[in-house]
Amino acid sequence: MAEVTWRSHGRDRRSTRTVRARTSTVLVVLIALAVLLVPPLVQLDEQAVDLSAKLLPPSWAHPFGTDDVGRDLLLRCVYGLRVSLLVGLVAALVATVLGTAVGAAAGALGGWTDRLVMRVVDALSSIPHLLLGIFIVAMFRPGVWPVVVSVALTHWLSTARIVRAEVLSLRSRPFVDAAVAGGASRWRVTVRHLVPGVLPQAGLAAVLMIPHAMWHESALSFLGLGLPAHQASLGNLVQTARGSLLAGDWWPTLFPGLFLIVPTLAIAGLAGAWRERLNPRRRSELTL
């Protein structure tokens, strides 16, 4: 007769989560060191053209090879990642502040104000982000800050929804009822109790928004609507390498793509560890 045994896998899961979090942390630290230290330490011009060395495969002299005009691809990828991270960080910060303010105001005021604000959020959410971003970027000259504005104005909607839901949850807590019963104004309750309570969720939303903003910037640059073509960004590098890929030269496309995918996975891993700390779960499995 088969014996029924209970076996907890909590330790195995904790070990897996720890490894994933540590790996993501190491990758994020390496990425930060690369974008901060490589440009000042490597005294090379990433725009330097050498037609005699164009489309060289990866080697010791050029670990990532060269592009179609002989520029070192490793240096170009580092500069491109630097620009994409700048766009992602600033856009995520602006979008989080805007979304937190709108969501907290809607949840705290309630009534017709909440309904009106959320209908506006729903209407804007029905428009594809990329289409709305293209419309915004088209009103400015190509550059970093138009892309930041475009990404920020199209990515605050999800944060507003998250913050509003959290505020509505906090409004039903006993400590909020006690503050209201003690004579605290709505403004004081919002500033002292509701907004601090939603900051962890807003921070998590900001971290998750960084890779999203990087991909959005890359898509705009790939379409020729983001950064100027001469400026290194991951989207521009992939867009420039399309012709080389058709000719059989894989490295000008592969390495910029990896520089976009690896930071995304690393930041997502850190965000996942953060989410598990905010919402801890303990599970056990029954094994027959």
Side-chain angles (χ1 to χ4, degrees):
M1 181 176 179
E3 182 181 357
V4 178
T5 60
W6 289 90
R7 185 174 64 187
S8 175
H9 293 275
R11 181 176 300 177
D12 295 337
R13 290 196 180 93
R14 285 194 297 271
S15 177
T16 303
R17 289 196 298 264
T18 301
V19 171
R20 185 172 67 244
R22 290 178 177 175
T23 304
S24 300
T25 302
V26 170
L27 288 175
V28 170
V29 171
L30 291 177
I31 291 167
L33 291 176
V35 299
L36 292 176
L37 299 181
V38 169
L41 292 179
V42 179
Q43 299 299 322
L44 295 176
D45 184 8
E46 53 95 14
Q47 297 284 5
V49 175
D50 184 6
L51 295 179
S52 64
K54 67 177 183 179
L55 291 177
L56 293 178
S59 62
W60 286 111
H62 302 284
F64 286 4
T66 60
D67 63 6
D68 57 347
V69 292
R71 294 174 294 193
D72 184 79
L73 199 57
L74 173 57
L75 196 59
R76 295 275 293 171
C77 286
V78 172
Y79 273 91
L81 179 59
R82 193 180 192 185
V83 173
S84 296
L85 276 176
L86 172 65
V87 172
L89 287 170
V90 177
L93 178 61
V94 174
T96 301
V97 172
L98 181 59
T100 300
V102 173
L109 294 175
W112 65 268
T113 304
D114 181 28
R115 292 192 294 271
L116 176 62
V117 170
M118 296 316 297
R119 295 297 79 76
V120 173
V121 170
D122 292 340
L124 293 176
S125 298
S126 64
I127 306 174
H129 286 175
L130 186 58
L131 181 62
L132 185 58
I134 291 173
F135 175 76
I136 295 173
V137 159
M139 296 187 295
F140 303 94
R141 292 182 178 179
V144 173
W145 296 112
V147 176
V148 170
V149 172
S150 169
V151 175
L153 292 182
T154 55
H155 287 74
W156 62 271
L157 305 170
S158 58
T159 304
R161 283 201 178 98
I162 293 171
V163 170
R164 172 186 175 268
E166 191 69 16
V167 168
L168 293 178
S169 175
L170 291 174
R171 283 178 57 182
S172 62
R173 302 290 178 84
F175 66 89
V176 174
D177 294 336
V180 173
S185 64
R186 180 174 295 182
W187 171 257
R188 184 176 178 82
V189 170
T190 301
V191 173
R192 293 292 300 273
H193 300 287
L194 299 182
V195 172
V198 302
L199 287 181
Q201 296 290 346
L204 176 60
V207 173
L208 288 171
M209 201 181 301
I210 293 173
H212 196 126
M214 292 174 58
W215 282 88
H216 202 85
E217 177 274 324
S218 298
L220 290 174
S221 297
F222 182 83
L223 294 174
L225 299 170
L227 276 66
H230 69 275
Q231 187 170 1
S233 76
L234 297 178
N236 281 341
L237 293 178
V238 174
Q239 196 276 340
T240 305
R242 287 187 303 168
S244 302
L245 182 64
L246 295 176
D249 300 322
W250 48 268
W251 57 92
T253 304
L254 174 64
F255 292 114
L258 290 177
F259 266 64
L260 189 59
I261 294 172
V262 171
T264 299
L265 295 177
I267 296 173
L270 286 180
W274 189 350
R275 184 189 296 113
E276 289 174 356
R277 286 184 176 274
L278 290 177
N279 303 297
R281 296 177 179 177
R282 295 181 179 178
R283 297 178 182 175
S284 61
E285 291 183 359
L286 175 63
T287 303
L288 297 180

